[in-house]
Amino acid sequence: MKEKFRNKYRIPSARLQKWDYQWAAAYFITICTKDRLHYFGKIQNGTMILNEIGNIVMIEWMKTMEIRQDMNLELGEFVVMANHFHGILIIGDNEYNGRDAMHCVSTGTSSVIPKQFGPQRKNVSSVIRGFKSSVTKNARILNPYFAWQTRFHDHIIRDARSFENISNYIINNPGNWDKDQFKNN
C-alpha cells in the first residue's frame, strides 16, 4: 500500500523495520537492471557468457571488500545474470555495527531496538549504493542508456541451512534461466 509523505505518494520500505542493516549478518542481495534489459551478456546452454558490462559488474563486486575494509566484509557466492545480479554479502563485527545480529536472532532475544532515521552509511544500503554507482559510471562509457532498477531486494540469512540453500540457488541460477522469474526478455 502506498503512503503519502509531504503530500506525495511513496512506496513503503521493503526493509525489515526492526533490523539495523549495519548489524553483523549475511544478506542475500538481488539487483535488477531497469526494465530488466539484458545488459550483462547472455546465457547459453546453462552458462552465463558475460559481455563487457557483465565483466564490470563482476569486477566491481569483487572490489567491494577492498574498498570497504573497515566494514569487515566477506563475499559469499554471487552470479551476474543477463539482467540481474545475485550475491551474498556478509558484514562482520566492526566499529560501526556494535552488535552481533546473528546472536540476537539465534537466542531469540526480543530486545531489538527500532532503527532511527539517519544517514545511510556503513550498512547494506551504502555498500549497494556504492556498487551500483561504480558499475553505472563504467557501464555508461560502453552504453549511455545503462541503468539499474532504483531499489534492490535483500533477505537476511538467518541460519546455516538457509545460507547453503541460497548459495546453491545462486550457483545454479544460470542453469535454471529458462524458469527464472527475472528472465523477462
Side-chain angles (χ1 to χ4, degrees), residues 8 35 156 161 180:
K8 292 183 181 181
D35 299 325
I156 302 157
R161 185 174 187 192
D180 198 303

Side-chain angles (χ1 to χ4, degrees), residues 22-184:
Q22 286 184 331
W23 287 345
Y27 301 88
F28 173 41
I29 306 295
T30 300
I31 313 169
C32 295
T33 60
K34 185 172 184 193
D35 299 325
R36 295 198 179 142
L37 295 176
H38 294 204
Y39 285 112
F40 304 144
K42 60 186 174 184
I43 296 176
Q44 291 181 329
N45 301 320
T47 301
M48 180 63 200
I49 311 298
L50 296 176
N51 61 19
E52 287 182 86
I53 296 176
N55 278 315
I56 290 169
V57 174
M58 183 180 64
I59 290 165
E60 291 301 327
W61 185 249
M62 292 188 329
K63 285 184 186 176
T64 300
M65 292 187 315
E66 176 187 325
I67 293 169
R68 295 168 183 84
Q69 292 177 12
D70 59 343
M71 288 182 66
N72 191 21
L73 299 178
E74 207 177 312
L75 302 180
E77 296 292 340
F78 69 91
V79 65
V80 181
M81 297 294 287
N83 61 359
H84 66 281
F85 168 85
H86 290 303
I88 296 175
L89 176 67
I90 303 161
I91 300 179
D93 289 327
N94 63 59
E95 66 181 287
Y96 306 103
N97 59 27
R99 173 175 187 147
D100 183 348
M102 293 308 283
H103 173 72
C104 178
V105 171
S106 66
T107 61
T109 59
S110 59
S111 61
V112 177
I113 302 165
K115 294 185 307 188
Q116 298 295 316
F117 182 76
Q120 293 293 305
R121 57 186 289 278
K122 305 299 182 186
N123 63 12
V124 173
S125 291
S126 69
V127 171
I128 301 306
R129 184 174 55 246
F131 167 68
K132 286 171 70 173
S133 176
S134 294
V135 170
T136 300
K137 177 184 170 196
N138 292 304
R140 286 192 176 160
I141 294 168
L142 301 168
N143 183 337
Y145 301 105
F146 173 79
W148 291 105
Q149 183 175 293
T150 53
R151 293 181 174 211
F152 66 93
H153 175 78
D154 68 75
H155 171 81
I156 302 157
I157 303 173
R158 299 180 187 252
D159 58 40
R161 185 174 187 192
S162 180
F163 189 94
E164 184 177 342
N165 289 341
I166 291 167
S167 294
N168 288 330
Y169 172 81
I170 291 170
I171 291 165
N172 296 316
N173 206 234
N176 294 322
W177 180 241
D178 289 336
K179 298 178 271 184
D180 198 303
Q181 66 177 333
F182 297 111
K183 185 175 180 180
N184 198 33

